[in-house]
Amino acid sequence: MQYLVEAGNLLKETLSAQSSALLKRASVVNIEGSYDHAERILEHVDTEFKSYSPNYMPFLTSNQVCVINCPGKGINPQKIAGFVRDGGWLFTTDWVIHYLIEAAFPRTIKRLDGISTGDDVVKIEAERSPITEGLNGAPEFWIDGSSWGIEPVSPHIVPILKSQEFKQLYGSDLIMAGFKWGYGRVFHTTSHVELQRSRAGGTRLEDAYSSLRLLSNVIIQKQAENIRKKYR
């Protein structure tokens, strides 16, 4: 997909030398999904990753980032909770909130009750965070039809991306949220990281770039943490 190639080139141009070096040293595990395909994003990020079927969950180590694509069915919640508790970082999308997050990380976030979205494109507002570094302006985010919103249960949930337009439609402004669990962190986003598009129906470079940059920032920050731990 040409727009992903262009977004990947833009990512390389805009990342600092330090961030690029951190990406190259990171270790990412991608668990494939039926509806989201982060591996197509990761192919354009200069980092090491391996993809697995959800029917085969590999051994995970605390220095890794694990990406679980929608829907996330059939994955052992205890194994994922243990991975994060020991220091791993988890990035999940859309229906994973119900099929995995609620069981693995109770009383943190849950599916927004009774809400299944339409096919919408909304403007997002990025909170000030290392995870949102490089997201300039007001990117648009495609909420795929039948996506599930995020309802915070714990007061310790950290908003990362918000949308007032989404709130007007569905009652919650959360598009992406994060929280700590033991020594690790969890990041969850409504809808999918792949196939972002604009209101006009086409894919804008800046919207594809936003997906690459968000996922890259998570990987960069995890690798930076790994290095800090190593030299403590």
Side-chain angles (χ1 to χ4, degrees):
M1 297 179 185
Q2 186 59 32
Y3 68 90
L4 284 177
V5 174
E6 294 175 1
N9 290 336
L10 180 59
L11 180 69
K12 292 174 184 177
E13 293 171 6
T14 53
L15 285 177
S16 68
Q18 181 182 22
S19 292
S20 296
L22 289 169
L23 270 179
K24 290 178 180 178
R25 296 177 64 181
S27 176
V28 180
V29 171
N30 180 72
I31 305 302
E32 297 166 352
S34 305
Y35 306 120
D36 200 6
H37 304 279
E39 63 273 12
R40 297 175 186 170
I41 296 289
L42 289 166
E43 287 172 358
H44 301 279
V45 175
D46 194 8
T47 195
E48 177 186 340
F49 78 96
K50 293 182 179 180
S51 285
Y52 298 89
S53 161
N55 298 321
Y56 173 75
M57 178 61 67
F59 178 75
L60 299 171
T61 61
S62 61
N63 69 320
Q64 292 177 314
V65 173
C66 179
V67 180
I68 299 182
N69 292 270
C70 177
K73 290 183 178 181
I75 297 172
N76 186 320
Q78 287 75 31
K79 182 170 184 176
I80 296 300
F83 160 69
V84 178
R85 185 179 58 248
D86 291 343
W89 283 26
L90 180 68
F91 185 99
T92 63
T93 69
D94 208 1
W95 289 6
V96 182
I97 193 171
H98 177 65
Y99 290 119
L100 180 63
I101 297 293
E102 291 175 3
F105 310 103
R107 298 179 298 280
T108 55
I109 58 175
K110 66 176 185 176
R111 176 189 176 186
L112 194 61
D113 285 344
I115 297 298
S116 184
T117 68
D119 191 323
D120 304 299
V121 177
V122 297
K123 285 189 176 180
I124 59 172
E125 299 89 41
E127 298 293 294
R128 188 181 295 273
S129 162
I131 304 302
T132 60
E133 184 178 349
L135 296 185
N136 300 320
E140 295 178 344
F141 201 86
W142 180 23
I143 307 298
D144 200 3
S146 300
S147 289
W148 292 344
I150 304 168
E151 181 176 339
V153 179
S154 166
H156 302 295
I157 300 304
V158 177
I160 297 171
L161 298 179
K162 291 183 175 182
S163 172
Q164 289 303 310
E165 291 184 347
F166 188 81
K167 184 176 183 180
Q168 290 171 7
L169 291 168
Y170 303 110
S172 171
D173 62 358
L174 274 182
I175 298 295
M176 181 176 178
F179 58 88
K180 294 181 180 179
W181 188 266
Y183 294 104
R185 293 178 182 267
V186 176
F187 302 90
H188 179 77
T189 180
T190 297
S191 197
H192 305 153
V193 293
E194 194 222 359
L195 295 181
Q196 283 299 309
R197 65 170 174 80
S198 70
R199 295 170 198 265
T203 300
R204 301 189 311 172
L205 173 59
E206 54 265 44
D207 298 318
Y209 171 78
S210 295
S211 288
L212 267 73
R213 188 67 194 244
L214 276 172
L215 193 47
S216 295
N217 285 347
V218 170
I219 297 167
I220 289 165
Q221 292 303 313
K222 173 54 178 168
Q223 184 60 21
E225 178 189 80
N226 290 342
I227 292 174
R228 288 194 298 271
K229 287 181 179 179
K230 181 178 180 180
Y231 292 103
R232 277 178 186 168

